Amino acid sequence: MLRPALFALPCVLALWAAPAAAQRSAVDLLVGKDVTADYVQQVAMHDMFRVETGKVALRRGRAPEIRLLAQQVLDDHGWLGAQLAQSIEEVAPKPELPARLDRPHKALLAGLNGAPAADFDRMFVRLQVRATEDLLAQHTRYAVTGPVDGLRLLAETAKPVVQGHLKALRALPPIR
């Protein structure tokens, strides 16, 4: 009978400490995960990646639709990145924004940069669809379960923007 009580004590303490753990939910504390910091890191990384791939597509894209979409992605994710930076100012402890792309995103960007001209547009679309789907899932999840009101609002605001990108990507004519 002592074991359940010993297990319950840390749970009770974590729940009791939740209000003092500035905007972290009791569940986050119990599992040792900071959902807000994870969300900020993931979304910032996606925004940076989408901005960088958009720049490359403006330079290398062959189809006018690709260049037009790249400019839209560049503009929207530049704006969303700025909104994210502004929104985390109210979070305590303040999550850190990544300063540069991580290794996996750098590798994807290098692959896009090195793609043969004939394959570039198709590769750009494939990368964008995958990144957009993942980003939409991040925003959707945080909009529902995120503990920080300002970031939940940002996630709700970002969802239709990202959904618009996904719709535009899927509406592109087949790329040869």
Side-chain angles (χ1 to χ4, degrees):
M1 275 306 189
L2 187 55
R3 272 191 204 160
L6 289 176
F7 175 74
L9 181 60
C11 294
V12 170
L13 289 176
L15 291 170
W16 174 76
Q23 300 186 356
R24 289 179 66 193
S25 73
V27 173
D28 298 338
L29 291 170
L30 287 172
V31 297
K33 184 175 180 183
D34 187 341
V35 173
T36 297
D38 287 349
Y39 170 74
V40 167
Q41 287 286 315
Q42 294 291 324
V43 168
M45 191 60 61
H46 276 290
D47 285 339
M48 283 193 304
F49 179 70
R50 306 265 331 263
V51 165
E52 292 304 315
T53 56
K55 289 177 186 176
V56 173
L58 285 176
R59 197 174 68 250
R60 295 199 53 212
R62 292 176 28 178
E65 301 91 352
I66 295 296
R67 290 191 305 276
L68 184 64
L69 180 61
Q71 185 62 58
Q72 187 67 50
V73 165
L74 194 63
D75 294 344
D76 290 345
H77 286 279
W79 178 80
L80 286 170
Q83 295 301 308
L84 179 64
Q86 184 179 4
S87 294
I88 65 170
E89 291 299 319
E90 66 188 54
V91 179
K94 181 180 171 185
E96 285 189 41
L97 291 172
R100 62 182 76 65
L101 289 175
D102 60 12
R103 194 172 295 174
H105 285 95
K106 281 182 186 176
L108 290 170
L109 185 60
L112 184 63
N113 270 313
D119 296 334
F120 178 85
D121 288 356
R122 186 175 30 260
M123 188 173 188
F124 172 76
V125 170
R126 193 175 324 129
L127 282 173
Q128 289 297 312
V129 167
R130 192 168 50 199
T132 304
E133 288 171 341
D134 190 43
L135 184 58
L136 182 57
Q138 294 284 338
H139 285 308
T140 300
R141 187 171 28 258
Y142 198 87
V144 173
T145 64
V148 178
D149 292 340
L151 288 173
R152 269 199 326 273
L153 179 61
L154 175 65
E156 281 295 334
T157 302
K159 278 175 28 183
V161 173
V162 176
Q163 286 168 331
H165 294 169
L166 194 54
K167 184 177 180 181
L169 285 160
R170 290 181 174 152
L172 287 171
I175 298 171
R176 292 178 260 135

